Amino acid sequence: MANSDSLPTRWMGSGLRRISLLPLAISFVVLVCLALLAIQLWTTLRAREIQLNEAFQESSNLAKSVAQHAYDTIKEADTVLVGLVERLETDGASDLQLSRIHKLLVARMAELPQLHGIFIYAKDGSWLVNSQEVLLKNLNNSDREYFKYHQTHTDRGPYIGPPVRSKSTNDWIITVSRRINLPDGGFGGVALATIDMSYFKVFYDRFSIGERGAIFIASGKGILLLRRPFDEASLGRDISKLPVFNSYLPKGPVGTAVIKSGLDGVTRINSYRRIEEYPLVVSAALSQDEILASWRTDAYLQNVIGGMLVLLIAFLGFRMVRQIELRSKTEQKLRETGNELELINETLARLASQDGLTGLGNRRHFDESLFGEFSRAQRGETSLGLVMIDVDFFKQYNDIYGHVAGDECLREIGKVVGYSMRRPGDLAARYGGEEMVVLLPGTDLLGTLAVAESIRSAVQSMGIEHTGNPFGVVTVSIGVESFTPMHLASKPVELVEAADKALYKAKASGRNQVCFASSYKEGGEKQDI
């Protein structure tokens, strides 16, 4: 008989072990699929990061090359100007001197292919001498921006002006100029070197920057001197409000950032550099979309292959899980039956201890808990608090609004009372009729009073209309007691009687208040909260 009894137990245990394989198998398949997807995602994002890092480096190197080229080009032109200014200020501008300078300028033009021309202007803007084989006469450049600048500025450094068209050839040029002083320090004219813009264009066209890449040179004040792709309309444009000048250069003279262009709206990886020796800013930018185009293609193919692999694994895993599920079907049904029986038992136990109307504990549950907590408080010599609540004029409420409304009123008050349970050991229960109680283990009188007052205030704050109550709304009267039970000297009923006595006093004293039993002195004097 003993052996036959043990067989079902072992059989059910084995079935439960087999059933437990199902969630394990599902978890394994899901984890494998998620791991593959995570690896695929990480690989894809890592490849993107590497691609962008390489583009950042490429853009930075490109900006470095552009800056160095711009510096070398302007430095060679400025070196010529320094020598001319020194010679004119020292030796003067006699016809013989100008003839010698003319020969020198023609020679310099042959040596420096980037130069479009070298010019010297008198203080009134007339042409004194230049690098042309045949000197042009009766021309005046006093209207040029660079000439006006040197007229009004005494600094002796180079000045890089906005792009202009040459008066002699009508070509776009970039101007580099220096002021010539008279012996007394006054304005004596301008020495000018012009650089053919095509020289820069030819150099920039050598770089592979894609269809939407960009290179530009701008003055230190943000005036655009040259840009690839070339756009004649943008030459001389003020770009000082764009992000490179407005947000990034103030933080440092060199940097790389992802910036959306204010000229054409393309998002680019932009490396910028300020040339300290000359008031210039250069930028080399590569289109982010073009840089990531090959990455997108690779990512698409990798994700398709990875997705197919994940689907295959998921399909095989599904078949495996399905087999386990079919094999454990009978055991699962037994398990479900056992769970249902257990749930029914739990429900019955809960219903046996729960009030059906308010959802609080019922009188039986309260009596059992009171006995247990009272004994525990005696052994531990700890205080035990009790809050006894009664709805004011509840009979009148039923007479005026009906019993259905009365039940709803008790349910709402039950919610408030239930919220007062702030610790696992607290118990709220329906004591009977419209009376409810809250048992508070380990709570002294002040703590019990605080809970009671919060309940009273919350009930009144609900504002449930009650025309039969002098307060106009539903209120409660509350009696409170808390003491430390003495071993063999106190009984649970004493706590209930004391709280009930306090409740009676609260109702007799006008309702909607909290009273506690120990607050009554001889002669009936009452202290309220």
Side-chain angles (χ1 to χ4, degrees), residues 121-126 140-157 159 177-182 185-191:
Y121 306 110
K123 64 180 181 179
D124 61 353
S126 60
N140 192 287
N141 277 44
S142 60
D143 61 332
R144 291 297 198 184
E145 193 270 345
Y146 56 81
F147 192 89
K148 294 179 179 179
Y149 175 85
H150 289 299
Q151 274 185 319
T152 57
H153 292 75
T154 58
D155 61 271
R156 306 306 305 276
Y159 176 71
S177 59
R178 281 183 176 266
R179 174 186 168 108
I180 301 173
N181 278 352
L182 295 175
F187 176 66
V190 174

Side-chain angles (χ1 to χ4, degrees), residues 202-279:
V202 170
F203 179 74
Y204 296 160
D205 287 342
R206 298 174 184 173
F207 295 107
S208 176
I209 60 173
E211 295 181 1
R212 288 182 286 180
I215 299 173
F216 77 72
I217 301 179
S219 69
K221 295 181 179 179
I223 302 300
L224 186 64
L225 304 180
L226 178 64
R227 185 177 187 270
R228 175 188 170 190
F230 182 75
D231 180 10
E232 186 173 310
S234 68
L235 298 180
R237 177 179 173 181
D238 185 357
I239 60 174
S240 61
K241 302 300 182 183
L242 297 185
V244 168
F245 284 88
N246 194 38
S247 301
Y248 294 98
L249 280 173
K251 299 177 183 177
V254 178
T256 301
V258 177
I259 303 174
K260 185 176 182 179
S261 172
L263 295 175
D264 54 20
V266 177
T267 299
R268 296 184 176 93
I269 297 174
N270 196 316
S271 290
Y272 53 89
R273 302 179 75 87
R274 185 186 294 278
I275 302 175
E276 297 297 339
E277 295 83 353
Y278 295 101

